[in-house]
């Protein structure tokens, strides 16, 4: 599996750490309530198909990356720096 | 039809002509008392125990492909009861007891082999953690023996004690742990359930769950609508999709776990060996293949196949731990879809919809749980009450944080369990 | 029988018998040349078996090569190259290949049908582990491992290219030529020892010259191109995501010390072209497994390529025109053809040999070698004497790699076979026989054209020129199983025959996957490469379905079995994980310290001195150094993270439960870090070196995790914060200097003296050590007046030597992990034994450290009811108060009179130590409602070590609870 780091270009999967669903980008407010936090921390759409998840170029430039990916085919559509997606 | 050595002899003399189908292939009826979605190990076991323990026989198991084609047919076949957290401990203990009577109960030889499992440890800290685990197993009434290096050397002399990257301090030995023939477990439960009247319906995919006024009414399938008073979802890696049909979003992320088998070899590994530092576990099947696995590929996936980095990591671990298997050749690798929860422990619970039940989240430990899960889920579906050994597997434990069972201690990141 | 006298030969042995062979030819060829028929025994029934194929798909001729640790089981004699002194052994036979005791299984076969073992061996219950399973296991497997650790070298490597071409037959060679000439970076990989594929095995002309000559010329042209890399003996084993392929190279030439046997390649290709050819399949007729019955294509391989005739009186049985080609080649080579048997009625064969059309082989004779066959045809039955029967059931395109990413092949009725579904593997296209194009002309053309398309897609400008070659049509009339009595073998390796598959169908194992798993069809070392399609056809017939409807099982990697040592190359011994060494490593080893693993690091356990015979003596002494004088300990393994920028303070406030923005410059603070789910992730001290400059320390174990967490926080959660972080763990060597004389020791090495007034507890700042700029932190993990002194790593070694030498002059010295552990337990300081991932701040009495004045990671989730429940197990100290003084970690806690069972469990111990300071055994542990139970006596039970002790619950800080020693 190859992932294109927006900084470094295409690299082998083994350079990356996988975190999970990119909903991690949208952290609820502290007072958002238990359901919002449950959804943030635990519940997942878990799609069989297109998804967006977070990877960390740990053995590379150290960028957190939002990867648009298909969970059935493992095809990767595009990648963006998490910091830019967030802003 | 009852299986026995005598029957095997008799059929041998008469050209095997008398064997009957192991289960029927009925068409779905318009209505059942209970419908189980998912014809894997857990679903088939649930149907079996619904019929056997609760007399509920107007039951259908709906399987979108062929029965036993999911994780029950693609795992490393390990059976054990070596959990240490309350909630898990009693459940797996109960499940192991069911294993120990399974063949006679099902009249099917699943080749449950209690050859013993050894979890190796490689530091003082790991020894302490395994001691806590072993003591918890004994507290539960199960068996555990703490081995030092020499103790391990006596039963696993082929490990690399001299040069391995992580020295072997000892191991936690669980003599009742072992393996079983995975496919046979699915077939045995299917046959047992079928004999008690359960309809096993293959090639029947559920496409919708009918709910009216908060009460489940039945399911839509590729073979038509089926009414049911009770519906159980037992679909492992596909839990997210099926639960979505009932408007639920689950604390589950599906991940790929690979496993491997080598060509057939004369017996060299007589136990199940687990190497935590390398995320590697291995046994040798009765056919001679070394059956082994490692950690998740770590990315969410429904592909049922994995990539090279984890394959290589598993082989790397094998080479540092037991370099005598270096010349064994890997024949086949495959992947399963693991329903990973945020604490690594499963869910057996009711849902917000009356009559709709959920059994999922087995992560990559579902095989050994097959009988226990089926038994406890059948109990819940039949009586509406949690079966005591599975009472901790609540769906809402994540929201309120009560009774989390995080054996790995890695917290709410699904792929770390 | 050799058709030509070879020029030079070498000798090798098979089961101790000496044979001669031509270097480089397969052992199978040499054995056939010597007239050896019986080479193996089958898996289940121990049937005598001979050589069946001429490639890696071989089902029968699996052998063990070499002895001792070098013994290599299950090697295909059909690809094993002959070399001088090679020792080859047969497998799965005892006492000998010829007289195999287990052949009795064959007589029992009526009772041992598919899946019989699921139906018996259940009574009496204990007999499974004690009797049945041991007997079954003894019969398991084919070859055996030596049981000795691998001593051979294997390698792994990466390669990159524009176009990976898999298979160097006519299609692959043309593809490489076309892509190479267009300027693409090409890797051409072929599993054979020489490139050319079937051109080396057939009598055919290409471009007006013999096939092998054209192949040689083409290979020479390719070799001359800098952009083309030729890899022989290299099997592409798997297709993976984003154009990553696994490949196994068997390194050429004789075994030599230090030379790798095999290399496992990870090839990254922008595109790939599969030119893997096709495999011939057998026909299921009664007793079709006798030694001497082989694939027709294999017969041609041995005759045409290796100049070996596999028999003296050959017969050929087929359902397609390749049978005729076999007869033609044999005649041309001067080998007698006793009969050609074609199941088709409407075929015309010309040749100087008997031809039977509309005929089938219905019986064979010959125990260890084929002697006779019986055929049935319009004129009745007839016996024919023959020592070698070549069979051809048609060709299966080698579609395997196209299915490695879950794709299924599609049925093509005119060739009665499955062909690849286009697009199954992104970036991969197929050409030639693996695509269902069977004539040489079609292979050449497809190879060129497909490569041209690929090159065009890469932005190149290819030219297509296709040489002329044979273009005869492939005509086949499917024949899967011949009717009649007797076992008709399909999967030769696992001994699956037609009746097994019918039995599976009868018992409702009708799904192709059920049939496979029930009968073990296709699960042997060849993974059903040759036999699966036959089995599917038989199943389709038995279930009244068509073949496409019956479907296929899944082909999965690897295409050929790969040694664990190859895929795990480099990891044997210490290679599995990096070894991280501190700057004091050498000095510590020189002092005789046993080095123990701490994650990837090595740290000294203790520093033994003369006269000490037990680690506890050393440990106790080192503890006393610290409590009474001064000790020195390397703490460089703790994670050190440099944090700078205007947002540094806000970042720390967000990742720690407590506040760091209020920390004064020149001060250090203990910080508690939570995971977002509210449990403790890590702890450590962070120093503020400047207004916008902090240095965080983490535990050794969590250094990587914390670094990742901080980057996550900065990039994913709070990109608004303007701060940068950098791991500096490796850049600084850091030493704890602890004990009442620590200040004196420091003053003996620092350029400027320090005084307590300037350096109060938790102070930090820059210092000079022997002219080197360093950092000093007045922090303590021992509870003593202590410092940590850091210098750039290149000075670590000399500083450690200096500090320990000075410490010794103050009556102290170096201390290791054991003493460090005792010191921290005496003080109730926690490590990852306590913060094991399930612990909350509440559990360790630090919930008040979660500031309510600000948001921080984990704050909300830590307030979940379950995480602050009074009933939770909380950190306590435990002291032995009964007769048994020994405490153990991992023991469980119970009320004094409660039975030690799960339902009564109240907690457990995490860390234990003998305290030389307090002269008693101490433990830290977690106990239900523990913080409210100080003074209570509970029962500690360690079933595993059979230790039971009464312990008093107390505050976890056993020593100097007021903390005056550290502050003073």
């Amino acid at each position: 599996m190859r992932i294109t780091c927006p900084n470094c270009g295409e690299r082998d999967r083994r350079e990356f750490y996988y975190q999970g669903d990119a909903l991690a980008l949208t952290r609820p407010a502290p007072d958002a309530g238990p359901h919002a936090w449950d959804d943030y921390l635990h519940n997942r759409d878990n799609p069989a198909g297109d998804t967006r998840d977070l990877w960390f170029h740990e053995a590379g430039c150290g960028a957190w990356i939002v990867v648009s990916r298909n969970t059935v085919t493992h095809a990767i559509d595009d990648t963006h720096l998490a910091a830019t997606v967030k802003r | 039809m009852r299986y026995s050595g005598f029957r095997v002899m008799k059929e041998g003399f008469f050209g095997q002509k008398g064997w009957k189908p192991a289960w029927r292939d009925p068409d779905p009826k318009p209505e059942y008392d209970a419908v189980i979605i998912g014809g894997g190990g857990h679903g088939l076991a649930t149907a079996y125990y619904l019929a056997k323990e609760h007399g509920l026989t107007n039951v259908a198991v709906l399987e979108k492909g062929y029965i036993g084609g999911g994780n029950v047919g693609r795992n490393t076949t390990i059976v054990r009861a070596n959990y240490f957290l309350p909630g898990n401990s009693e459940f797996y203990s109960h499940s192991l007891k069911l294993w120990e009577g399974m063949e006679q109960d099902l009249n099917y030889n699943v080749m449950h082999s209690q050859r013993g499992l050894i979890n190796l440890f490689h530091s003082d800290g790991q020894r302490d953690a395994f001691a806590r685990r072993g003591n918890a197993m004994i507290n539960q009434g199960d068996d555990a023996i703490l081995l030092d290096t020499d103790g391990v050397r006596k039963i696993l002399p082929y490990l690399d004690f001299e040069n391995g990257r992580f020295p072997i301090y000892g191991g936690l030995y669980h003599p009742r742990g072992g393996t079983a023939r995975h496919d046979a477990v699915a077939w045995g439960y299917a046959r047992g359930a079928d004999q008690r009247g359960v309809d096993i319906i293959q090639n029947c995919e559920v496409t919708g769950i009918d709910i009216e006024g908060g009460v489940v009414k039945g399911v839509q399938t590729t073979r038509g609508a089926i009414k049911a008073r009770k519906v159980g979802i037992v679909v492992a890696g596909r839990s997210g999709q099926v639960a979505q049909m009932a408007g639920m979003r689950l604390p589950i992320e599906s991940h790929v776990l690979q496993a491997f088998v080598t060509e057939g070899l004369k017996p060299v590994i007589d136990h199940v060996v687990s190497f935590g530092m390398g995320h590697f576990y291995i046994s040798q099947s009765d056919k001679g293949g070394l059956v082994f696995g490692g950690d998740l590929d770590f990315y969410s996936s429904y592909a049922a196949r994995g990539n090279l980095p984890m394959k290589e990591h598993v082989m790397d671990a094998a080479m540092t731990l037991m370099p005598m298997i270096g010349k064994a050749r890997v024949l086949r690798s495959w992947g399963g879809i693991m329903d990973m929860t945020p604490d690594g422990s499963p869910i057996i619970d009711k849902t917000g919809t009356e009559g709709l039940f959920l059994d999922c989240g087995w992560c990559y430990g579902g095989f050994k749980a097959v009988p226990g899960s089926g038994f406890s889920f059948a109990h819940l579906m039949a009586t509406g009450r949690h079966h005591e050994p599975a009472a901790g597997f609540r769906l809402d434990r994540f929201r309120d944080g009560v009774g989390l069972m995080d054996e790995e201690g890695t917290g709410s990141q699904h792929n770390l369990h | 029988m050799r058709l030509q006298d070879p020029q030079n030969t070498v000798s090798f042995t098979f089961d101790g018998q000496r044979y001669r062979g031509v270097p480089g030819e397969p052992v199978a060829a040499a054995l056939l040349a010597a007239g050896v028929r019986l080479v193996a025994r089958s898996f289940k029934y121990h049937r005598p078996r001979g050589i069946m194929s001429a490639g890696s798909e071989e089902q029968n001729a699996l052998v063990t090569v070499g002895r001792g640790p070098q013994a290599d089981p299950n090697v295909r004699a059909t690809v094993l190259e002959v070399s001088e002194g090679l020792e080859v052994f047969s497998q799965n036979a005892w006492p000998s290949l010829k007289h195999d005791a287990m052949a009795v299984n064959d007589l029992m076969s009526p009772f041992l049908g598919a899946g019989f073992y699921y139906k018996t061996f259940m009574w009496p219950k204990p007999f499974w582990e004690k009797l049945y399973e041991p007997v079954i296991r003894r019969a398991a497997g084919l070859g055996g491992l030596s049981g000795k650790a691998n001593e051979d070298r294997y390698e792994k490597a990466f390669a990159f290219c524009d176009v990976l071409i898999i298979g160097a037959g006519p299609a692959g060679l043309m593809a490489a030529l076309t892509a190479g000439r267009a300027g693409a970076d090409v890797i051409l990989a072929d599993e054979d020892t020489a490139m050319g594929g079937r051109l080396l095995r057939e009598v055919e002309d290409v471009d007006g010259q013999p096939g092998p000559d054209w192949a040689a010329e083409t290979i020479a042209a390719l070799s001359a191109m800098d952009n083309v890399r030729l890899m022989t003996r290299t099997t592409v084993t798997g297709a993976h995501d984003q154009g990553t392929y696994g490949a196994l190279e068997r390194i050429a030439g004789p075994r030599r010390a230090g030379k790798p046997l095999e290399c496992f390649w990870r090839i990254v290709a922008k595109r790939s072209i599969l030119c893997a050819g096709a495999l011939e399949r057998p026909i299921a007729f009664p007793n079709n497994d006798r030694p001497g019955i082989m694939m027709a294509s294999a017969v041609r391989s041995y005759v045409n390529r290796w100049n070996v005739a596999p028999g003296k009186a050959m017969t050929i049985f087929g359902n397609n025109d390749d049978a005729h080609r076999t007869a033609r080649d044999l005649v041309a080579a001067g080998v007698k053809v006793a009969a050609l048997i074609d199941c088709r009625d409407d075929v015309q064969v010309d040749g100087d040999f008997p031809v039977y059309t509309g005929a089938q082989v219905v019986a064979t004779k010959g125990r260890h070698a084929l002697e006779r066959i019986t055929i049935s045809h319009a004129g009745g039955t007839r016996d024919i004497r023959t020592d070698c029967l070549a069979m051809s059931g048609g060709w299966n395109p080698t579609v395997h790699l196209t299915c490695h990413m879950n794709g299924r092949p599609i049925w093509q009725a005119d060739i009665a076979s499955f062909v690849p579904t286009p697009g199954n593997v992104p970036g991969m296209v197929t050409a030639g026989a693996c695509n269902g194009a069977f004539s040489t002309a079609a292979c050449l053309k497809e190879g060129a054209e497909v490569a041209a398309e690929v090159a065009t897609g890469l932005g190149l400008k290819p030219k297509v020129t296709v040489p002329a070659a044979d273009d005869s049509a492939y005509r086949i009339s499917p024949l899967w199983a011949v009717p009649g009595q007797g076992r008709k073998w399909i999967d030769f390796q696992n001994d699956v025959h037609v009746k097994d598959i019918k039995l599976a169908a009868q018992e409702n194992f009708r799904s192709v996957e059920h049939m496979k798993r029930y009968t073990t069809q296709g699960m042997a070392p060849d993974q059903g490469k040759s036999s699966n399609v036959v089995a599917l056809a038989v199943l389709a017939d038995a279930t009244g379905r068509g073949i496409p409807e019956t479907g296929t099982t899944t082909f999965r990697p690897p295409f050929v079995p790969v040694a664990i040592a190859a895929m795990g190359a480099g990891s044997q011994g210490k290679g599995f994980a990096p070894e991280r060494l501190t700057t004091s490593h050498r000095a510590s080893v020189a002092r005789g310290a046993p080095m123990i693993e701490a994650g990837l690091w090595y740290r000294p356990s203790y520093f033994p001195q003369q006269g000490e015979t037990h680690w506890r003596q050393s440990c106790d002494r080192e503890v006393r150094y610290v409590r009474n004088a001064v000790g020195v300990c390397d703490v460089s393994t703790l994670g050190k993270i440099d944090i700078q920028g205007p947002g540094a303070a806000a970042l720390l406030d967000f990742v720690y439960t407590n506040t760091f923005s209020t920390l004064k410059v020149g001060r250090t603070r203990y910080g508690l870090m939570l995971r977002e789910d509210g449990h403790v992730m890590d702890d450590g001290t962070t120093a503020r070196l400047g207004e916008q400059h902090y240095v965080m320390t983490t535990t050794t174990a969590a250094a990587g995790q914390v670094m990742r967490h901080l980057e996550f926080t900065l990039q994913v959660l709070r990109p608004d914060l303007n701060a940068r972080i950098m791991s500096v763990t490796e850049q600084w060597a850091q030493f704890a200097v602890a004990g009442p004389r620590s200040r004196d020791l420091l003053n003996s090495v620092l350029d400027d003296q320090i005084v307590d007034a300037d350096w109060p507890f938790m102070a930090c700042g820059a210092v000079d050590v022997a002219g080197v700029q360093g950092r000093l932190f007045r922090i303590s993990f021992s509870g003593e007046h202590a410092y940590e002194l850091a210098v750039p790593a290149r000075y670590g070694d000399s500083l450690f030597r200096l500090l320990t030498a000075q410490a010794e002059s103050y009556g102290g010295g170096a201390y290791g992990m054991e003493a460090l552990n005792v010191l921290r337990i005496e003080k109730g300081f926690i490590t990852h034994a306590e913060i094991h991932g399930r612990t909350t701040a509440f559990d360790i009495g630090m919930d008040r450290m979660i500031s309510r004045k600000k948001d921080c990671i984990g704050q909300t989730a830590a307030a979940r009811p379950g995480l602050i429940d009074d009933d939770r197990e909380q950190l306590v100290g435990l002291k032995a108060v009964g007769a048994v003084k020994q405490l153990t970690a991992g023991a469980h806690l119970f009320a004094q009179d409660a039975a030690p069972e799960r339902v009564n469990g109240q907690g457990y111990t995490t860390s234990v130590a003998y305290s030389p300071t307090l002269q008693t055994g101490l433990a830290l542990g977690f106990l239900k409602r523990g913080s409210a139970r100080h003074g209570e006596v509970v029962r500690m039970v360690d079933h595993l070590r059979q230790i039971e002790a009464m312990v008093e619950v107390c505050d976890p800080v056993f020593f100097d609870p007021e903390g005056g020693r550290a502050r003073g």
Side-chain angles (χ1 to χ4, degrees), chain B residues 135 139, chain C residues 888 890-894 898-900 909 939-944 946-949:
Chain B
N135 279 317
N139 286 341
Chain C
T888 52
H892 287 240
L893 303 172
F894 301 90
T909 57
R939 179 177 173 200
M940 184 207 88
V941 180
D942 187 335
H943 301 285
L944 296 166
Q946 296 175 320
I947 291 169
E948 210 180 307

Side-chain angles (χ1 to χ4, degrees), chain B residues 2-5 8-9 12-13 16-17 19 21-25 66-67 73-74 84 90 100 103-104 107-109 111-115 124 127-128 131-132 134-136 138-140 144 146 163-167 169 181 183-184 187 202 263-267 269-270 278 284-288 292 303-308 311-312 315-320 323-334 398-402 404 406-407 409-412, chain C residues 43 70-76 92 110-111 113 117-123 125 128-129 133 137 140-145 147-150 152 154 156 240-241 244 264 266 404-406 494 503 506-509 511 513-514 516-518 523-525 527 554 556-558 561-565 567-568 571-574 576-579 596-597 599-600 602 675 677 679 818 836-838 864-867 889-892 894 900-902 908 910 942-945:
Chain B
R2 209 175 149 69
Y3 290 158
S4 67
V8 167
M9 293 293 285
F13 282 115
Q16 319 279 6
K17 294 216 164 45
W19 296 114
W23 54 82
R24 298 162 295 130
D25 260 336
Y66 59 96
I67 58 165
R74 51 185 75 241
F84 73 101
E90 56 266 43
E100 288 169 338
E103 281 144 358
Q104 288 68 30
N107 178 231
Y108 207 83
N109 187 358
M111 302 180 208
H112 179 219
S113 164
Q114 295 187 291
R115 56 184 68 174
D124 289 332
R127 179 195 289 118
D128 295 345
R132 180 184 171 198
N135 279 317
I138 295 172
N139 286 341
Q140 174 58 36
L146 196 69
N163 303 308
R165 172 64 179 86
F166 297 104
Y169 278 49
R181 170 84 181 97
D183 292 323
W187 300 339
Q202 304 186 82
E263 297 176 339
L265 297 159
K266 296 296 172 200
I269 295 178
D270 294 330
Q284 186 170 16
S285 79
D286 286 342
K287 225 176 132 218
F292 57 101
R305 63 179 175 82
N307 274 290
L308 283 174
K311 290 180 203 285
E312 291 175 37
M315 309 302 155
D316 288 342
M319 287 310 289
T320 194
M324 70 113 182
I325 65 167
K327 288 203 157 39
R329 288 186 180 77
V330 177
L331 180 59
R332 190 173 176 86
S333 61
W334 62 94
F398 305 106
R399 192 172 65 230
D400 60 24
V402 177
L404 294 171
D406 184 356
E407 297 257 340
T410 45
S412 65
Chain C
F43 173 69
Q70 295 185 342
D72 197 358
N74 298 345
V75 176
R76 280 76 177 151
N92 204 34
F111 312 105
Y117 30 76
Y118 300 125
K119 299 167 179 164
T120 181
F121 303 136
M122 288 177 271
W123 304 270
K125 189 166 160 330
W128 175 251
E129 275 96 355
E133 190 180 40
R137 277 178 84 74
L142 289 167
L145 293 169
K148 308 263 191 329
N150 170 58
D152 288 310
Y154 293 78
K156 280 199 268 200
H240 304 283
D241 288 313
T244 310
F264 184 75
R266 287 70 59 93
H404 280 185
M405 290 169 72
N406 292 346
N494 266 354
L503 177 61
Q506 177 187 331
E507 296 192 79
N508 201 14
F509 292 87
S511 151
E513 288 284 353
H514 283 157
K516 165 188 146 180
R517 291 153 183 260
Y518 194 61
M523 294 170 78
Q527 291 282 285
T554 314
R556 295 189 183 275
V562 179
I564 291 172
M567 267 183 111
S571 289
Q572 195 173 339
K574 306 288 185 211
F576 176 61
E579 294 182 284
I596 55 167
E597 286 75 7
L600 298 178
Y602 287 86
R675 297 190 308 238
D677 69 6
H679 294 82
E818 294 294 350
H836 46 50
R838 291 171 292 271
R864 283 183 287 170
L867 275 66
H892 287 240
F894 301 90
E901 293 166 5
R902 176 182 53 80
Y908 55 95
T910 52
D942 187 335
H943 301 285
L944 296 166
R945 289 118 155 173

Side-chain angles (χ1 to χ4, degrees), chain C residues 1-9 21-23 25 33 306-308:
Chain C
M1 184 177 67
R2 293 207 185 266
L3 298 166
Q4 280 175 13
D5 280 337
Q7 296 191 327
N8 67 23
T9 60
V22 181
E25 76 177 353
W306 305 113
N307 295 311
V308 167

Side-chain angles (χ1 to χ4, degrees), chain C residues 200-540:
Chain C
L200 307 180
R201 300 161 164 88
E202 307 288 6
V203 181
E204 268 184 30
D205 284 354
V206 178
D207 217 7
Q209 53 183 331
D213 294 355
W214 181 84
E217 211 168 77
T218 306
I219 294 157
L222 291 168
S223 304
M225 296 183 201
D226 289 341
N227 55 329
V228 176
R229 176 174 190 168
L230 303 177
M231 297 176 75
T232 52
R233 294 181 175 83
T234 304
T235 312
V236 176
T237 55
H240 304 283
D241 288 313
Q242 279 85 33
T244 310
Y245 297 84
L248 182 72
E249 180 185 7
R250 291 168 288 124
I251 311 291
R255 183 186 278 274
R256 238 186 13 248
K259 179 182 147 185
L261 290 184
E262 294 177 348
C263 179
F264 184 75
W265 289 90
R266 287 70 59 93
I267 302 176
V268 180
K270 288 181 186 148
R271 303 289 175 84
S272 71
I273 306 175
L274 184 71
C275 305
L279 294 173
E280 201 171 21
R281 62 195 177 213
I283 300 171
F285 56 88
N287 293 314
N288 56 343
D289 65 333
R290 297 196 193 280
I293 302 178
M294 58 201 295
M295 305 312 306
S297 58
V299 167
R300 296 199 301 280
S301 296
Y302 290 113
V303 170
N304 294 332
R305 183 172 177 194
W306 305 113
N307 295 311
V308 167
K312 295 191 173 87
M314 305 287 301
T315 44
I316 300 137
F317 176 33
N319 63 352
N320 67 89
D321 292 352
D322 265 11
H324 309 175
R325 171 201 290 255
T326 309
R328 191 183 67 207
D329 289 1
L330 286 167
V331 170
V335 185
K336 180 188 166 191
V337 174
L340 169 65
I341 303 120
D342 194 320
C343 70
R344 298 170 297 176
D345 291 311
D346 55 343
V347 284
Q348 193 64 45
V349 190
D350 301 320
D352 191 16
F353 43 81
V355 176
Y356 302 90
T357 55
Q360 293 176 335
V361 177
V362 295
T364 68
K365 292 262 159 45
R367 181 158 170 70
H368 290 148
L370 182 68
E371 291 164 6
R372 213 165 52 223
I373 60 172
T374 307
I375 65 166
S376 148
H377 61 122
T381 61
R382 181 186 193 93
D383 276 10
I384 301 170
R385 289 193 70 81
T386 178
D387 59 349
C388 179
L389 171 65
M391 63 177 158
S392 178
W395 291 84
N396 293 335
T398 305
V399 301
H400 304 70
L401 284 170
T402 70
C403 302
H404 280 185
M405 290 169 72
N406 292 346
R408 302 275 169 177
I410 43 178
W411 180 251
Q412 192 175 318
D414 64 325
I415 60 168
S417 224
F418 287 97
V419 293
T421 305
N424 266 352
V425 173
M428 177 189 274
V429 287
T430 54
C434 73
N435 206 29
F438 287 147
S439 79
T440 303
C443 287
L444 293 165
K445 182 161 176 284
E446 273 198 11
E449 288 177 353
V450 163
E453 276 169 40
V454 166
T456 307
L458 291 169
L460 304 169
K461 293 193 168 50
K463 280 197 210 114
V464 176
T465 48
V466 184
D470 171 77
D471 198 16
S472 54
Y474 171 71
R475 285 171 303 170
I476 179 168
S477 163
L479 172 67
W480 310 107
V482 171
Q485 291 295 308
R487 283 173 295 170
K488 293 160 253 181
W489 302 95
I490 296 177
D491 187 323
F492 288 61
Q493 243 167 354
N494 266 354
D495 281 339
V496 180
H497 54 83
V498 169
K499 245 171 108 177
D500 288 324
I501 290 167
K502 288 185 173 163
L503 177 61
Q506 177 187 331
E507 296 192 79
N508 201 14
F509 292 87
R510 292 157 55 94
S511 151
V512 63
E513 288 284 353
H514 283 157
M515 178 277 286
K516 165 188 146 180
R517 291 153 183 260
Y518 194 61
T519 63
T520 73
Q521 161 65 39
M523 294 170 78
D526 81 311
Q527 291 282 285
K529 283 191 188 75
S530 316
S531 62
N532 269 354
V533 177
V534 182
L536 293 179
V538 172
L539 179 67

Side-chain angles (χ1 to χ4, degrees), chain C residues 755-774:
Chain C
V755 293
D756 284 356
D758 296 340
W759 286 89
F761 186 53
M762 302 303 269
C764 67
V767 290
D768 288 339
V769 198
V772 172
Q773 285 198 342

